Amino acid sequence: MQHPAPWPARPNTQHLGLPFFDAAHRTLVAELLPWTEAQQVDEGDDRAACRDWVQRLGQAGWLRYCVPAAHGGALAQLDSRALVLLRETLAFHSPLADFAFAMQGLGSGAITLAGSPAQQARWLPAVARGEKIAAFALTEPEAGSDVAAIATEATLAGPARYRLNGVKTWISNGGLADFYCVFARTGEAPGTRGLSALVVEAGTPGLDDHEHLQVMAPHPLATLRFEGCEVGTEALLGEAGGGFKLALQTLDIFRPSVAAAALGMARRALAEAVAHARQRRMFGATLADFQLTQAKLGEMSALIEAGALLTYRAAWLRDTGAPQAERTQAAACAKMVATENAQRVIDMALQMHGGRGVQVGCKVESLYRDIRALRIYEGATEVQQLILGKAALQG
Ligand SMILES: Cc1cc2nc3c(=O)[nH]c(=O)nc-3n(C[C@H](O)[C@H](O)[C@H](O)COP(=O)(O)OP(=O)(O)OC[C@H]3O[C@@H](n4cnc5c(N)ncnc54)[C@H](O)[C@@H]3O)c2cc1C
């Protein structure tokens, strides 16, 4: 049995007093904290644990924040600030819990944004209850940062069917999901204007999702192979040729929430470092008594607060309808700074633990592995730098 480590201290919630948040956000966190703290999920097997987390999050009503109220959700529209607070809190407790939560939103986001009433009724209420597991299938072996290079094709095979051929890889929840939102080339125009999104149910003949990928931290992933995989044209999400825009719109909602996950992990690392420094005895004092330790803790704290302000600002700008360019830059800034700062904070916390820091089973050791992929997925740090650099040159 491998349960999330008990919290060294309740996370600080001072930030909820910032003007980005309202009373509903404060209530959300006040209810979420004790629920999260009480969960004991065996995380020895990441796939089983992910299923368990989805079920629990669904039963407790937290997944309702991943879909709009018209389809069983908690709020009329997806609220970035609620998503950010949920992910930060869950990641503080268990990065796998955060992952299970986030994928329900990311995997169903294209249905929320562009699905027909029938598609929304079919999938979204089940996602909100935790009865169906969602996945988002964009990346391919030769098309990661370069989305325009997507080669998976969905060609019309008769009047009412698409036939998919190609490979998707690094797909979170691959082999576990009940359905995949797949981005494929339908050929309306060259490059990104010729992509469409389709919902493909797991188990559809011609879809092989059994090739699991093992990574350095618990995270269910697989490669998907489509070989003559046929779906009805009713699987198309939104307009043919509108897939790239839809993928970007989905990522636009969830990018600040990746920053929030990093923030939750960084806050946990700081809490672990403080607890350790207070009790570790050396040279006739505790580690916390030394100014060198206090300076490190201060630096960690400032790195976290910088990431936090950018994350909350990005979510607030989205919720309050700021112009698209401003939202994109704020999300890029938040994702880059919060994930990079979290990596530094976790590294400093690990260093403060000495040899224990690298011992398997020590919380900072697993955080050190958990944080790494966040600097890569949903746009690597370099991709965010380019977004910001181009904006600076245009401005
Ligand atoms: C744990 C995990 C989960 C994931 N989950 C999903 C998922 O659910 N669905 C999905 O579709 N994908 C998923 N991905 C894929 C992820 O989005 C890609 O890994 C990411 O977009 C980077 O693509 P790539 O791996 O092909 O790297 P590449 O595109 O080959 O990039 C390699 C590196 O090149 C650098 N780079 C990028 N652009 C430039 C540039 N213009 N100039 C210079 N350097 C540049 C960056 O440092 C980048 O990290 C996941 C990945 C991981 C690791």
Side-chain angles (χ1 to χ4, degrees):
M1 299 284 265
Q2 194 180 309
H3 294 124
W7 296 355
R10 269 271 173 104
N12 188 326
T13 53
Q14 255 176 359
H15 55 272
L16 291 171
L18 290 169
F20 298 117
F21 300 112
D22 59 31
H25 296 119
R26 288 185 273 280
T27 306
L28 166 67
V29 175
E31 290 172 2
L32 178 62
L33 272 174
W35 180 86
T36 310
E37 196 176 8
Q39 302 308 306
Q40 287 293 307
V41 168
D42 180 359
E43 296 190 342
D45 170 348
D46 58 358
R47 287 175 181 268
C50 190
R51 273 191 199 287
D52 192 350
W53 273 119
V54 170
Q55 258 175 19
R56 287 173 190 240
L57 289 161
Q59 280 164 8
W62 302 118
L63 294 179
R64 293 173 62 235
Y65 287 91
C66 292
V67 308
H71 303 287
L75 304 168
Q77 292 173 344
L78 295 189
D79 182 83
S80 277
R81 287 164 297 169
L83 290 172
V84 152
L85 293 172
L86 273 146
R87 290 201 65 178
E88 180 182 337
T89 307
L90 291 170
F92 185 94
H93 181 61
S94 153
L96 205 54
D98 160 61
F99 162 79
F101 172 82
M103 282 314 302
Q104 290 298 92
L106 183 67
S108 66
I111 303 177
T112 295
L113 290 170
S116 65
Q119 288 167 329
Q120 293 180 332
R122 177 164 181 205
W123 299 111
L124 298 181
V127 165
R129 291 193 298 266
E131 292 165 5
K132 295 273 185 212
I133 296 184
F136 177 85
L138 183 70
T139 305
E140 299 186 0
E142 302 301 329
S145 310
D146 182 8
V147 178
I150 282 181
T152 295
E153 286 183 334
T155 45
L156 279 172
R161 298 195 76 68
Y162 280 107
R163 185 178 297 140
L164 285 101
N165 284 293
V167 180
K168 294 283 170 187
T169 195
W170 300 114
I171 306 309
S172 299
N173 279 341
L176 193 67
D178 293 289
F179 67 93
Y180 300 93
C181 283
V182 181
F183 295 84
R185 191 158 292 289
T186 39
E188 289 71 23
T192 52
R193 285 177 296 130
L195 301 175
S196 299
L198 300 110
V199 189
V200 181
E201 208 171 340
T204 304
L207 164 59
D208 180 353
D209 59 2
H210 289 97
E211 190 182 328
H212 297 174
L213 302 170
Q214 303 297 330
V215 286
M216 61 200 285
H219 191 124
L221 282 164
T223 294
L224 315 181
R225 293 182 191 282
F226 297 90
E227 285 180 21
C229 173
E230 288 196 17
V231 292
T233 44
E234 69 279 1
L236 182 71
L237 287 168
E239 286 177 12
F244 180 66
K245 197 169 154 209
L246 195 49
L248 289 191
Q249 284 174 334
T250 309
L251 291 170
D252 183 53
I253 301 173
F254 289 94
R255 200 164 270 160
S257 82
V258 180
L263 192 55
M265 293 183 212
R267 287 200 198 277
R268 179 63 183 266
L270 177 60
E272 296 287 339
V274 166
H276 179 72
R278 279 188 177 138
Q279 60 82 29
R280 175 65 174 160
R281 293 208 60 81
M282 61 172 73
F283 308 113
T286 67
L287 184 56
D289 291 324
F290 300 108
Q291 284 192 329
L292 195 52
T293 308
Q294 293 159 17
K296 279 281 170 229
L297 293 172
E299 189 180 347
M300 289 157 80
S301 183
L303 287 168
I304 290 172
E305 293 314 321
L309 284 176
L310 290 173
T311 303
Y312 304 149
R313 180 188 70 155
W316 175 78
L317 284 172
R318 191 191 161 271
D319 289 341
T320 52
Q324 184 61 53
E326 203 180 328
R327 283 158 46 176
T328 301
Q329 286 166 42
C333 232
K335 204 237 168 206
M336 181 179 84
V337 173
T339 58
E340 294 290 331
N341 284 8
Q343 181 91 60
R344 284 176 64 194
V345 167
I346 293 168
D347 186 55
M348 284 190 247
L350 187 151
Q351 188 75 6
M352 210 174 275
H353 279 70
R356 288 171 187 76
V358 292
Q359 189 174 19
V360 174
C362 179
K363 182 65 186 173
V364 290
E365 180 274 335
S366 59
L367 285 170
Y368 190 78
R369 292 180 286 108
D370 287 319
I371 190 61
R372 191 61 186 86
L374 278 70
R375 291 168 56 207
I376 298 171
Y377 63 63
E378 291 191 39
T381 290
E382 292 72 14
V383 171
Q384 313 306 333
Q385 286 172 333
L386 290 174
I387 292 172
L388 294 168
K390 279 184 187 144
L393 287 168
Q394 277 163 9

